[in-house]
Amino acid sequence: MSAVYKEDQEDWLTVCLKYMLFVFNFLFWMGGAAVLGVGVWTLVEKSDYLSLLASSTFAVSAYILILAGSLVVVTGFLGCCAVIREQRSCLSTYFFFLLLIFLIELVAGVLAYVYYQRLSEELKQHLNHTMTENYAQPGKQAITLAVDRLQQDFKCCGSNNYNDWTQSVYVSLGQADGRVVPDSCCKTITPHCGRRDHPSNIYKVEGGCITKLEQFLADHLLVIGAVGIGVACLQICGMVFTCCLYRRIKMEPY
């Protein structure tokens, strides 16, 4: 009687573990969709700004999340198959992929956090130089478009303030056609509107574009780090459930 009860209890535990792993897989898929979405959102929404950054850490973090999110789709399907078939080899493979994705997302989260710590210093050192030395110069169309979009999107003018443009190659070499700032500094863009730097005509924001871009990137980095580390922590539960189910299946007689 006790042997039968013990066997029934073991079967019940195995079934519970299978259902828990199914629930985890559902959450895992949702988390993977969030990771993939954040990675794509980071690269697509403001991809023009990447050309203004001195390092590629921001973009790399997003690409890592896209890779991890794509792997989640495959791994989630593999997890369902492993649970249904109750094969130790499938569970082992599933555990390996969970561990791999866990490490990838952890790396993305750590990269985002590290870059967040030095973002302000990097922008202060490089943004003004990038804008003033490369705007409207031959072969620098990507930077020119990025600067124009930056100033229009964030309603700012210049890296620190509008006076930065007086030291730019664009203005000092006479390429501006009488403009003192690019037309993208204007509140209402019209041809040659950059010839007037009156506050009624151009954006004169305290802190310039560097403050606005820093806040924007910092917000994105926090989301990247939080999603990456959050989903990575969720996967720890999945790895624990997988190990427990593997152990139950291994203990069951064939």
Side-chain angles (χ1 to χ4, degrees):
M1 180 70 178
S2 59
V4 174
Y5 174 76
K6 184 177 181 181
E7 184 177 343
D8 289 341
Q9 188 179 35
E10 289 177 353
D11 290 340
W12 180 81
L13 289 173
T14 302
V15 170
C16 282
L17 284 172
K18 288 171 66 175
Y19 277 113
M20 290 173 72
L21 204 50
F22 268 123
V23 171
F24 165 77
N25 260 318
F26 174 73
L27 296 176
F28 188 45
W29 264 322
M30 292 182 63
V35 168
L36 185 60
V38 168
V40 172
W41 167 64
T42 300
L43 291 179
V44 171
E45 186 188 0
K46 304 291 184 182
S47 59
D48 291 344
Y49 300 157
L50 297 179
S51 61
L52 301 177
L53 303 179
S55 72
S56 58
T57 308
F58 184 78
V60 168
S61 297
Y63 280 120
I64 289 175
L65 286 185
I66 291 175
L67 172 63
S70 301
L71 285 175
V72 165
V73 176
V74 178
T75 305
F77 176 76
L78 177 63
C80 288
C81 292
V83 173
I84 293 172
R85 300 182 67 177
E86 295 188 16
Q87 290 184 347
R88 284 174 289 168
S89 58
C90 288
L91 286 172
S92 299
T93 305
Y94 178 59
F95 179 85
F96 170 78
F97 275 105
L98 282 179
L99 182 60
L100 177 64
I101 297 171
F102 170 79
L103 294 175
I104 290 174
E105 289 174 342
L106 203 58
V107 167
V110 170
L111 277 176
Y113 178 76
V114 170
Y115 188 58
Y116 176 81
Q117 298 299 312
R118 57 188 183 88
L119 174 62
S120 178
E121 189 61 31
E122 178 181 309
L123 289 177
K124 288 176 182 177
Q125 290 179 0
H126 299 285
L127 184 61
N128 185 55
H129 179 270
T130 300
M131 293 174 69
T132 58
E133 297 295 322
N134 297 290
Y135 185 82
Q137 300 307 300
K140 302 295 183 180
Q141 289 85 355
I143 292 179
T144 301
L145 290 173
V147 171
D148 284 338
R149 185 177 179 187
L150 173 69
Q151 295 189 141
Q152 278 296 297
D153 285 355
F154 293 135
K155 296 178 172 50
C156 57
C157 184
S159 177
N160 298 295
N161 56 62
Y162 75 98
N163 288 319
D164 292 340
W165 287 111
T166 61
Q167 307 298 322
S168 68
V169 174
Y170 174 64
V171 172
S172 61
L173 294 185
Q175 300 171 345
D177 193 22
R179 299 177 180 86
V180 290
V181 295
D183 289 344
S184 56
C185 282
C186 299
K187 296 178 179 179
T188 302
I189 296 180
T190 57
H192 300 95
C193 64
R195 290 176 175 176
R196 292 180 61 246
D197 59 0
H198 193 272
S200 64
N201 184 51
I202 68 170
Y203 296 113
K204 291 190 175 182
V205 180
E206 186 69 28
C209 293
I210 191 171
T211 304
K212 298 291 190 73
L213 183 58
E214 180 182 350
Q215 185 60 53
F216 169 81
L217 293 176
D219 291 343
H220 272 61
L221 287 170
L222 285 175
V223 172
I224 291 175
V227 170
I229 294 177
V231 175
C233 292
L234 174 65
Q235 287 172 238
I236 295 177
C237 298
M239 287 187 281
V240 171
F241 293 150
T242 303
C243 288
C244 292
L245 184 58
Y246 179 90
R247 188 164 177 267
R248 299 302 309 171
I249 292 173
K250 185 177 180 180
M251 291 173 63
E252 290 176 0
Y254 290 93

